Amino acid sequence: MREEFTDIVGAALDHDPRLAVVLAEISADRFTGAAARHPDRVLNVGIREQALIGVAGGLALTGLRPVVHSIAPFLVERPFEQIKLDLNHQRAGAVLVSTGASYDYPAAGRTHMAPGDVALLDTLPDWTVHVPGHPREFAELLRAALPGDDLVYLRMTERTNARPLPTGRGFQVVREGRAGVVLAVGPMLDPVLAATAELDVAVLYASTVRPFDAAALRSAALAAAPDVVLVEPYLRDTSTASANAALADLPHRVLGLGVARDAELRAYGTADEHDAAHGLAPAELARSIRAFLAIGGR
Amino acid sequence: MATSTSGRTGSGYSDLPALLSRMSGDEKHSPAAVSTLDVLWVLYDRILHVDPARPDDPDRDRFLLSKGHGPMAYYAVLAAKGFLDPAELGGWNAFDSRLGQHPDRVLVPGVEIGSGSLGHGLPLALGTALGLRAQGRTGSRVVVLVGDAELGEGSNHEAIAVAGRRGVGTLTTVVVDNASDSYGWPGGIGERFSREGWAAHTVDGRDHDALHHALTDTRLDQPLAVIARVEPKEFA
């Protein structure tokens, strides 16, 4: 996805005079050509993440479209008040593009993990949150975001599904079934499909998770059963409130699966090992889904 | 080119106490009681090219009040210059008033940023100046007002370094220094800006001519800092 990011934004800078890129060293080496062509619109502020967002807010106030990029904890968590005040409060739009996701760099440890990014942005209004599960989806979502004026968060990850699905607002029905509904967000689709291959459940897919497609979840729950499992590649239960709101007038149950909230996982190793530790590998997902939906077997 | 607001409403400096009184209820309001009042007056009366009839003119100068606390002086000057109806001042802080204890750009005409939380205006001003430069709008100045204690926020130091090194000559920071920072800056605030590549002047923040001279001493390739010294804040 990072190659798509550099290629698409670099090319767009050449023909869209509104576009500007704001960096805090991360990936600056990937923008050297674009920076040479557009020194006033490719701005590397150094290791200064508060200025990263503040400058983006100022650029937007003059009518430019800033694309802001860093590793997720440095893009979203460190300058969170700047996101709240320099973007939302000023009514200044921006496209924030993070890399690293929840644990793409497990050897780097906790400092480089931000499984709470989407939950944090959920405390603010007006954000569109894309969690693509394939580089082609990422490319489509990025291209669609560049001409706008709105607030967009694009969460890049190195963990991808085998095949891309069409992008666009709303959740897609990947498979129908009767015992319940499993919503897979972004790169969780393939693990969910593996986990549910032998289960009679409906599977929904979201590459865009905010706004939350309440209507799609509701109709899937009505068509199957009002028992919903959310499988998200970031903090567990990030979308549970949204799912409950979508089903508020129905007797229903919701199980949120994702990165554990109750303890800081002090481990390095591989992303697969982190998946397993958080219950997000296919075997653990299958066990959780079967237990919740009271589906027997094996 | 935007036009100066000077004389647009016929209100002058001597009208400010009455405008302040509409908010404070204090009949004997002294301009000296408000630390930012003289700086704001000089900016709006002599420096900024802004027009209440065209507050969104893309080629206007931008004034960003970062120190959003105590905005009475700001509202009074905006009223004197025709951005606000003076009658509106009396209702400030009421639920349905556009004027709160911190200004909101979405509500108040002529207000460029919503502020109150310290340390946001200078990075926003830097981004605004860079955005105007990228669009070739090099005739517009961007002036941001901060307090001396507000300079403690690290976000300001991030922006001061970037602005200095990128030589953003259209950017001006006015520091209203009422000696309210608990720690201060060795060698003075101006020295700190100079070290980062800014042109800097320290002047009497009540002296209109001194402020005017300092504020007009801009450089093509250097941002400008004007430290406006006023009476020390009285702590309870």
Side-chain angles (χ1 to χ4, degrees):
Chain A
M1 293 189 192
R2 288 180 87 180
E3 279 68 37
E4 274 79 4
F5 175 54
T6 318
D7 292 349
I8 291 168
V9 173
L13 280 163
D14 294 338
H15 56 74
D16 181 357
R18 274 187 76 219
L19 206 62
V21 177
V22 197
L23 305 167
E25 294 299 350
I26 303 299
S27 301
D29 54 331
R30 295 166 181 255
F31 281 98
T32 48
R37 295 196 302 280
H38 308 288
D40 287 340
R41 289 191 289 127
V42 178
L43 303 164
N44 177 12
V45 299
I47 304 290
R48 293 180 180 82
E49 285 85 9
Q50 296 181 74
L52 178 77
I53 304 292
V55 164
L59 293 171
L61 288 176
T62 70
L64 292 182
R65 178 64 160 168
V67 176
V68 194
H69 167 69
S70 190
I71 300 176
F74 315 137
L75 181 67
V76 176
E77 293 178 325
R78 184 190 288 254
F80 182 70
E81 191 186 72
Q82 274 74 18
I83 293 175
K84 171 185 153 191
L85 295 181
D86 301 353
L87 297 178
N88 274 88
H89 184 53
Q90 309 304 334
R91 284 204 186 148
V95 182
L96 305 192
V97 184
S98 72
T99 184
S102 293
Y103 41 79
D104 277 1
Y105 318 130
R110 173 68 171 169
T111 57
H112 284 57
M113 300 175 182
D117 55 352
V118 178
L120 256 181
L121 288 179
D122 254 355
T123 63
L124 301 174
D126 301 329
W127 282 88
T128 296
V129 177
H130 299 304
V131 187
H134 190 279
R136 194 182 302 169
E137 296 172 13
F138 170 78
E140 288 177 13
L141 292 164
L142 176 62
R143 281 198 185 93
L146 294 182
D149 284 308
D150 51 345
L151 291 162
V152 178
Y153 181 55
L154 259 159
R155 192 180 203 261
M156 292 198 284
T157 178
E158 292 172 18
R159 325 214 67 210
T160 70
N161 302 314
R163 278 179 298 280
L165 288 178
T167 56
R169 297 221 163 184
F171 304 158
Q172 299 170 51
V173 179
V174 177
R175 192 208 298 154
E176 296 185 340
R178 287 170 298 177
V181 179
V182 183
L183 173 70
V185 176
M188 297 319 302
L189 179 61
D190 278 4
V192 162
L193 288 175
T196 59
E198 295 169 28
L199 306 182
D200 183 19
V201 297
V203 175
L204 294 185
Y205 176 63
S207 56
T208 297
V209 74
R210 296 288 182 280
F212 189 87
D213 187 355
L217 183 71
R218 191 184 162 78
S219 48
L222 288 170
D227 294 320
V228 172
V229 183
L230 306 174
V231 186
E232 301 182 88
Y234 37 73
L235 220 52
R236 177 177 299 175
D237 284 322
T238 296
S239 295
T240 297
S242 300
N244 278 324
L247 307 173
D249 61 338
L250 290 177
H252 69 272
R253 298 187 303 139
V254 176
L255 172 67
L257 300 177
V259 176
R261 285 177 180 259
D262 53 350
E264 181 182 320
L265 179 59
R266 287 180 189 274
Y268 300 106
T270 67
D272 284 343
E273 289 170 313
H274 283 254
D275 279 350
H278 292 295
L280 296 174
E284 289 82 9
L285 285 175
R287 208 171 303 133
S288 299
I289 294 167
R290 280 177 185 276
F292 179 70
L293 298 178
I295 300 172
R298 288 196 294 189
Chain B
M1 197 66 197
T3 55
S4 169
T5 65
S6 196
R8 175 168 288 275
T9 64
S11 294
Y13 183 74
S14 59
D15 297 310
L16 295 177
L19 293 168
L20 287 166
S21 297
R22 287 174 177 257
M23 289 172 278
S24 66
D26 177 1
E27 294 301 322
K28 295 177 182 174
H29 216 289
S30 160
V34 186
S35 66
T36 56
L37 188 69
D38 293 283
V39 167
L40 288 167
W41 178 255
V42 171
L43 281 167
Y44 276 86
D45 195 51
R46 303 201 203 175
I47 305 290
L48 298 170
H49 290 90
V50 289
D51 183 349
R54 301 179 63 204
D56 296 324
D57 181 349
D59 287 317
R60 71 190 181 279
D61 288 342
R62 269 67 164 181
F63 172 71
L64 283 64
L65 183 74
S66 185
K67 196 191 86 66
H69 305 55
M72 282 196 302
Y74 190 35
Y75 295 147
V77 171
L78 286 173
K81 289 300 178 186
F83 288 91
L84 287 172
D85 178 353
E88 201 172 337
L89 299 177
W92 86 306
N93 293 333
F95 179 80
D96 54 357
S97 171
R98 298 190 292 182
L99 311 179
Q101 290 193 4
H102 302 123
D104 186 334
R105 72 174 290 271
V106 173
L107 301 178
V108 189
V111 168
E112 300 286 355
I113 59 166
S115 58
S117 187
L118 300 176
H120 290 268
L122 186 36
L124 280 168
L126 170 61
T128 302
L130 290 169
L132 293 169
R133 172 193 277 189
Q135 295 169 81
R137 298 188 189 281
T138 50
S140 297
R141 288 185 71 174
V142 181
V143 180
V144 56
L145 189 156
V146 304
D148 68 299
E150 181 183 1
L151 277 184
E153 298 283 8
S155 53
N156 287 325
H157 296 270
E158 295 186 2
I160 289 167
V162 175
R165 234 66 87 242
R166 292 190 77 96
V168 185
T170 51
L171 177 64
T172 295
T173 300
V174 182
V175 184
V176 173
D177 179 8
N178 62 353
S180 57
D181 184 14
S182 299
Y183 293 93
W185 302 99
I189 293 170
E191 171 68 12
R192 177 60 202 265
F193 278 90
S194 300
R195 292 259 169 164
E196 299 285 2
W198 293 54
H201 295 297
T202 300
V203 298
D204 177 350
R206 300 298 182 191
D207 183 334
H208 292 192
D209 288 334
L211 284 165
H212 178 245
H213 286 229
L215 286 165
T216 47
D217 186 25
T218 54
R219 318 291 161 89
L220 218 55
D221 56 356
Q222 265 188 303
L224 173 67
V226 174
I227 293 83
R229 282 204 171 132
V230 297
E231 314 74 43
K233 180 179 179 180
E234 289 176 25
F235 292 95

